[in-house]
Amino acid sequence: MSTDLGLLLPGHDVPLGRFTTVRRLLPHRERRMIGAWCFVDHFGPDDVRGRPGMQVPPHPHTGLQTVTWLVDGIIEHRDSLGSHQLIAPGQLNLMTSGHGIAHSEYTPPDHPDGMHGLQLWVALPSAVRSPGFAHHPSLPALREGGADVTVVIGRLGGVSSPATTHTPLLGAEILFPAAGAATLPLTPGFEHGILVMSGSATVDGHTLAPGSLLYLGDGRDAVSVACPDEARLFLLGGEPFDEPLVMWWNFVGRSHEEIVEARTQWMAGERFGTVEGCAAAPLPAPELPTVRLKARDRHGRTH
Ligand code: MN
């Protein structure tokens, strides 16, 4: 069992596009990944009446899958494969960048009053080269104690999501419609973490507020959660990911050279394709740091 069991990770605010601020929960200095989950952003709940909401022009990705999960609002996705998809609460958009893809994400002009959701990245094994996009309009659900559980990615309590992953992984929304408790079954070979989107929860003696993530370690077959009122949580898990990664801007790679090549090709309009139907100019990549980018393993050690 991990020694950092019960590590409470506070998020920090990061701007996303011009009009949205997200709380970034991973990577964290003390915990870079949970399984292959390598990036966890929680946005909202925001009141976007009379405001643009999410406005993210075309930008590239490599080496990862993006998981978009909304509990309020609506987002319009377009990508360089020609996908054009509105996503609403309770649905999953799963984009696989493989070697390279570009996408845009916009709250449409006529939108609901609220916006609240998650955007998560899953690191891909380096052998996964093909890009893809899948929209899952409904996902399987089950009841565990006082919680309504939606299995977004992977398998929980004998129920499986239809989403394709490339490493053993779990992502599940845990909704308590009222005060209650639940014991959720876990996979001992996975490491897990749980984050609170709204309300509050007591997990392993820790009281979690919205926008915080509790790392649960590995080797567990269950976790008990109690909520004093209505609350919405998200459970993340996966087999520990052993490959060291270089994460820079929107790229996940294995080496400095790989990231430099991806940046150069994006800036030259090569490799990633064009996001048809999006009028906005593509996002330029930031300048590279003057030092070499280092690969880090899931413990943060450099390689
Ligand atoms: Mn993106």
Side-chain angles (χ1 to χ4, degrees):
M1 187 171 292
S2 302
T3 51
D4 45 3
L5 178 67
L7 178 65
L8 184 62
L9 305 172
H12 63 279
D13 287 354
V14 177
L16 180 73
R18 283 178 59 206
F19 302 99
T20 307
T21 298
V22 303
R23 264 176 307 288
R24 185 149 301 158
L25 296 156
L26 285 182
H28 189 279
R29 190 167 47 83
E30 295 181 61
R31 169 58 40 189
R32 299 193 60 80
M33 304 178 77
I34 296 174
W37 299 105
C38 61
F39 194 90
V40 173
D41 275 353
H42 174 218
F43 52 89
D46 289 329
D47 183 343
V48 292
R49 277 176 294 186
R51 298 175 56 209
M54 187 173 287
Q55 304 281 307
V56 184
H59 60 279
H61 288 290
T62 60
L64 59 90
Q65 289 177 299
T66 62
V67 171
T68 306
W69 178 252
L70 294 179
V71 300
D72 194 8
I74 193 160
I75 294 176
E76 187 171 20
H77 162 97
R78 286 186 164 89
D79 66 42
S80 52
L81 300 175
S83 317
H84 179 205
Q85 182 66 54
L86 282 175
I87 179 174
Q91 305 180 338
L92 168 64
N93 272 5
L94 179 64
M95 186 179 79
T96 303
S97 70
H99 182 60
I101 199 167
H103 73 148
S104 64
E105 295 162 294
Y106 283 85
T107 303
D110 185 14
H111 57 254
D113 293 347
M115 187 171 71
H116 188 194
L118 297 174
Q119 191 167 70
L120 314 170
W121 292 0
V122 178
L124 287 172
S126 46
V128 179
R129 306 297 280 171
S130 300
F133 177 79
H135 175 73
H136 296 283
S138 69
L139 292 153
L142 68 154
R143 183 86 177 168
E144 287 283 356
D148 294 318
V149 177
T150 304
V151 183
V152 180
I153 298 273
R155 181 177 175 86
L156 188 147
V159 171
S160 294
S161 162
T164 300
T165 62
H166 299 272
T167 52
L169 205 63
L170 170 70
E173 186 189 86
I174 317 293
L175 174 67
F176 288 86
T183 299
L184 306 167
L186 302 179
T187 303
F190 284 13
E191 53 185 346
H192 292 90
I194 195 159
L195 72 90
V196 175
M197 297 183 71
S198 57
S200 77
T202 302
V203 184
D204 275 357
H206 295 268
T207 300
L208 306 186
S212 60
L213 171 66
L214 183 70
Y215 179 66
L216 295 167
D218 60 8
R220 304 177 62 127
D221 59 11
V223 63
S224 295
V225 180
C227 297
D229 208 334
E230 179 184 337
R232 194 183 299 266
L233 288 67
F234 205 90
L235 176 65
L236 297 167
E239 220 165 67
F241 194 88
D242 280 330
E243 287 184 77
L245 301 174
V246 183
M247 288 179 64
W248 182 80
W249 193 44
N250 292 308
F251 304 134
V252 173
R254 299 297 185 277
S255 67
H256 175 83
E257 288 72 21
E258 217 183 295
I259 300 293
V260 170
E261 183 184 37
R263 183 190 184 281
T264 302
Q265 291 178 325
W266 171 250
M267 294 303 281
E270 297 165 1
R271 176 168 160 179
F272 296 93
T274 303
V275 181
E276 300 291 349
C278 181
L283 282 181
E287 291 299 325
L288 282 160
T290 52
V291 294
R292 284 178 60 81
L293 299 165
K294 292 192 176 95
R296 288 179 188 277
D297 65 18
R298 59 199 174 87
H299 306 289
R301 290 188 287 256
T302 56
H303 288 255

